[in-house]
Amino acid sequence: MNSVLAIARRELKSYFDSPIAYIVVAVYLLVSGGLFFSTLFLFGRADLRGFFQPSAFTLSPPMLLAILTPAVTMRLVAEERKSGTFELLTTLPVSDTQVILGKFLGAMGLMLTAVGLTVVYAITVSFLGDLDWGPVVAGYVGLVLFVGALVAIGIYCSTLTDNQIVAFILAFIIGSVLFVISWLAGLFPSLAPVLDAISLGAHLESISRGVLDSRDVLYYLSLCGGALYLSVLSLGRRHA
């Protein structure tokens, strides 16, 4: 566990030692805040459902996370392989599982910093009306699970290539397809249950209504765990 935390601290420090962390946090706060508050008064409700609710056809705060997360994860393995520092890391007494978990926690640290700072939005809304904090807490739990799945997918894509741009494009495509796929149910009604079951957006939509269903939690944990497992396997194959 100490090795995992040491790698996580190293990754988190490298983010904040470069402009990456500040750009990601600033862009997320400014754009998500603008999107949320520009529609808050149109609905006339003191809640954060508009902040947590995904949308396939317009930019929404969750979709913004689906864009920014691949930019954070693309370098995790790909850059280190290209620069040769990954070989140095593998000479240390750490397993591939510890490396992947450490990098996952490091990237989650950055993304959760950005998400956590938006609690200011909830506090602001609470001053404007009678805010029900139950759905807000459920929404943030859903957002953490959503980000965890995106980070795990991004790490897996970063293990597949030495090129950061390729890693970004792969993670963005996979994350975006899983995000919007439930909206294809209009074209294929008979597949609607399957599309909803595998959609990142559909499960977040359910949680954004304030209902923290165990099926949604299990979906995100399974997707996250599966992507991390594939990352470990991919790393092992590249050692061979």
Side-chain angles (χ1 to χ4, degrees):
M1 192 62 188
N2 287 340
S3 299
V4 173
L5 294 178
I7 294 171
R9 282 194 296 269
R10 170 177 172 269
E11 293 298 337
L12 194 56
K13 183 176 183 301
S14 71
Y15 283 128
F16 282 95
D17 283 346
S18 71
I20 295 175
Y22 305 98
I23 292 173
V24 167
V25 172
V27 168
Y28 179 66
L29 291 178
L30 289 173
V31 177
S32 68
L35 291 169
F36 171 60
F37 285 106
S38 65
T39 59
L40 177 66
F41 298 103
L42 295 178
F43 295 108
R45 299 190 310 250
D47 63 31
L48 265 74
R49 184 170 176 181
F51 180 74
F52 300 121
Q53 195 168 30
S55 170
F57 306 108
T58 57
L59 183 62
S60 60
M63 183 181 284
L64 185 60
L65 288 172
I67 297 171
L68 291 176
T69 304
V72 169
T73 59
M74 66 181 184
R75 54 170 288 280
L76 285 173
V77 178
E79 183 188 18
E80 290 214 49
R81 281 190 171 280
K82 189 172 183 179
S83 64
T85 55
F86 191 81
E87 281 65 27
L88 179 62
L89 181 63
T90 57
T91 62
L92 300 175
V94 292
S95 66
D96 289 345
T97 301
Q98 289 172 318
V99 170
I100 292 299
L101 287 178
K103 289 180 177 294
F104 172 75
L105 291 179
M108 282 297 288
L110 171 56
M111 296 309 298
L112 293 186
T113 298
V115 171
L117 288 173
T118 64
V119 171
V120 174
Y121 303 162
I123 294 172
T124 302
V125 173
S126 72
F127 285 114
L128 300 175
D130 186 17
L131 178 65
D132 183 351
W133 283 94
V136 174
V137 172
Y140 273 107
V141 171
L143 220 49
V144 170
L145 293 168
F146 177 72
V147 169
L150 289 174
V151 168
I153 291 170
I155 291 176
Y156 172 60
C157 293
S158 188
T159 65
L160 298 176
T161 175
D162 295 344
N163 188 309
Q164 291 186 62
I165 303 302
V166 174
F168 172 83
I169 293 172
L170 283 175
F172 177 71
I173 290 174
I174 294 173
S176 298
V177 169
L178 287 175
F179 185 77
V180 304
I181 197 167
S182 63
W183 281 278
L184 295 178
L187 299 175
F188 309 101
S190 61
L191 297 177
V194 176
L195 297 176
D196 282 345
I198 63 175
S199 170
L200 279 166
H203 288 278
L204 189 61
E205 169 76 26
S206 173
I207 295 176
S208 72
R209 292 194 291 267
V211 180
L212 199 55
D213 193 303
S214 59
R215 289 170 295 185
D216 298 321
V217 175
L218 185 61
Y219 164 79
Y220 284 120
L221 293 179
S222 300
L223 183 58
C224 181
L228 292 177
Y229 177 69
L230 290 176
S231 301
V232 174
L233 291 182
S234 175
L235 216 54
R237 279 197 297 271
R238 302 197 71 167
H239 287 319

